[in-house]
Amino acid sequence: MSSSSSPPHGARRMGWGQRFSRWDIRVSPYLYVSPFFLLFAVFGAFPLLFNVVVALHDWHRRAGMGDFVGLDNFTWVLRQPLFWRSLENTFWIFLWGGIPQLVLALVIAAVLDQNLRARTFWRMSVLVPFVVMPVATSMIFGQVFGQFGLLVPNLHDLGILTGVDSPFFQDRMLSHAAIGSMVVFRWTGYNALIFLAAMQAVPRELYEASTVDGASRTRQFFSVTIPSIRPTMIFVTLTMTIGGLQIFDEARMFDGGGTGGGKGGADNQWTTVVLYLYNLGFGDWQDRLGQAAAVGWIFAVIIALFSLGNFLLTRSISSTQTRSSRVTRAQHNTAVARARAIAAGAPREPVAPEPGAVDRTEKIQEGANR
């Protein structure tokens, strides 16, 4: 009788090749994604955690780490009037650049969604401002809004401006509008392509059904296109909020950024929070890395709260409109069947727009999304 420890008859012992193959299947996915996590740990997680240490110490660029001060750097920042002024400037610049950017991106995407000639050329052309370096864009627009630029002399000739200097470097609101125009110029085409990709995914049957109900192009845009791309609009709004509040290059290079420039104006007319952070920690007149790190953390919390409120607001609007528009599956199938029959060449009776017909189209679209 054979021993109980002996292998059963016909069983094979696993070779090194098979063991390596099993380990390869288990370990390889982690090895493939490990470069990202290693780079993030070195260039993302470590600076983030080290910034906490800097914010809690009396840290100077030349002297290095000083005494532990706890939350004193945060209280010092919150007591500075310049911090609150820079925070106000940041939100005004964000509004000047965010709202027109969102509207123009939707309009451009709707135009590019039509049957245009040379569509690839137009879609590529709207992305050209995005590939231009922010520093180059800021310097060009700074010259345009300057005293001897393209805009101010023409306004002088029209009698609109009578001062000698450019008001875009003196007036606070005009400087915000000028910097906001740089943001609109650079990011509108990028967001327009994102909206265009979402519009391309909208079922064409919805437009056919709305045409049967007598909806115009404008009505289709607001009743079919906008509700269909609402998730994309939420995504673009969130990314635009996070990026727009961190504006730095445009504000620093607006007045040249050379000797005496890059401070946000003589009276800090357009000093943003990130520019204030830079001047506080790395500027020629400051050496306060601890306070600069505290500014970064305070502003990060403000951006997170602002983005969260923006997300909850847009989601609540979306869910409210979805609950208010209900349609049965039979109504949806009937409308789509009518549209397909007309597209196939079936005889069509004259259809006059009925009261509430366009509202029914909106309900059909909501039913299709479900």
Side-chain angles (χ1 to χ4, degrees):
M1 185 175 180
S2 60
S3 176
S4 59
S5 61
S6 60
H9 181 70
R12 292 184 178 180
R13 182 175 296 179
M14 183 179 298
W16 286 104
Q18 293 178 338
R19 293 182 180 179
F20 179 78
S21 178
R22 288 190 176 184
W23 279 103
D24 180 49
I25 294 175
R26 295 179 180 178
V27 178
S28 293
Y30 299 99
L31 294 178
Y32 293 148
V33 300
S34 60
F36 166 77
F37 291 100
L38 292 176
L39 292 175
F40 176 77
V42 175
F43 299 102
F46 173 74
L48 190 65
L49 297 176
F50 187 72
N51 197 28
V52 179
V53 179
V54 177
L56 298 177
H57 288 79
D58 186 15
W59 204 297
H60 296 276
R61 185 177 55 184
R62 298 178 179 87
M65 184 177 65
D67 299 331
F68 178 81
V69 295
L71 300 179
D72 291 346
N73 289 331
F74 294 89
T75 57
W76 183 89
V77 170
L78 295 176
R79 293 173 182 172
Q80 299 302 310
L82 184 56
F83 169 74
W84 297 105
R85 183 177 179 86
S86 65
L87 186 63
E88 183 181 355
N89 293 338
T90 302
F91 280 109
W92 275 111
I93 294 174
F94 166 72
L95 293 178
W96 279 104
I99 297 176
Q101 177 190 156
L102 188 63
V103 175
L104 288 176
L106 284 171
V107 174
I108 294 174
V111 173
L112 294 177
D113 194 33
Q114 307 301 319
N115 293 325
L116 300 176
R117 293 183 178 180
R119 288 180 296 179
T120 304
F121 169 77
W122 294 114
R123 293 175 183 179
M124 292 178 61
S125 62
V126 298
L127 201 60
V128 172
F130 176 72
V131 301
V132 179
M133 294 297 294
V135 175
T137 302
S138 304
M139 295 182 67
I140 292 172
F141 273 78
Q143 294 296 323
V144 170
F145 291 107
Q147 179 180 354
F148 303 103
L150 299 176
L151 185 61
V152 175
N154 293 326
L155 294 178
H156 279 299
D157 295 338
L158 294 175
I160 299 178
L161 298 178
T162 57
V164 178
D165 297 330
S166 173
F168 295 98
F169 293 93
Q170 306 296 330
D171 187 76
R172 189 181 182 188
M173 284 293 105
L174 289 179
S175 63
H176 295 171
I179 297 175
S181 65
M182 304 181 199
V183 180
V184 173
F185 170 78
R186 187 166 184 265
W187 289 97
T188 298
Y190 174 81
N191 291 326
L193 290 184
I194 297 179
F195 285 138
L196 177 61
M199 292 179 184
Q200 295 280 307
V202 178
R204 299 294 119 176
E205 291 86 355
L206 298 177
Y207 295 103
E208 296 172 359
S210 63
T211 302
V212 171
D213 286 336
S216 62
R217 290 286 185 87
T218 305
R219 188 61 172 168
Q220 289 178 357
F221 177 75
F222 288 102
S223 300
V224 178
T225 305
I226 296 297
S228 299
I229 65 172
R230 189 178 293 118
T232 305
M233 293 184 62
I234 295 175
F235 167 77
V236 171
T237 303
L238 289 177
T239 55
M240 182 183 64
T241 301
I242 297 173
L245 293 177
Q246 298 179 12
I247 183 171
F248 171 75
D249 297 325
E250 292 83 355
R252 174 158 174 78
M253 300 302 299
F254 181 52
D255 57 350
T259 304
K263 305 297 184 183
D267 194 26
N268 301 109
Q269 298 95 320
W270 63 86
T271 301
T272 61
V273 175
V274 182
L275 182 57
Y276 171 68
L277 184 153
Y278 174 82
N279 291 331
L280 193 64
F282 303 97
D284 297 332
W285 51 277
Q286 293 285 358
D287 186 11
R288 300 174 177 269
L289 288 181
Q291 288 84 348
V295 171
W297 278 106
I298 294 173
F299 193 50
V301 173
I302 293 175
I303 292 178
L305 295 176
F306 192 81
S307 301
L308 179 61
N310 198 348
F311 171 74
L312 295 177
L313 178 62
T314 52
R315 191 178 67 171
S316 63
I317 294 174
S318 174
S319 59
T320 302
Q321 293 181 357
T322 303
R323 288 193 301 267
S324 62
S325 301
R326 296 290 181 181
V327 65
T328 63
R329 179 61 62 180
Q331 291 173 333
H332 169 262
N333 293 336
T334 301
V336 173
R338 288 173 57 195
R340 289 177 176 173
I342 293 174
R348 172 184 173 183
E349 298 179 358
V351 179
E354 303 174 2
V358 178
D359 296 334
R360 187 169 66 252
T361 302
E362 297 179 7
K363 296 180 180 180
I364 293 171
Q365 189 273 335
E366 296 292 344
N369 289 340
R370 296 204 313 274

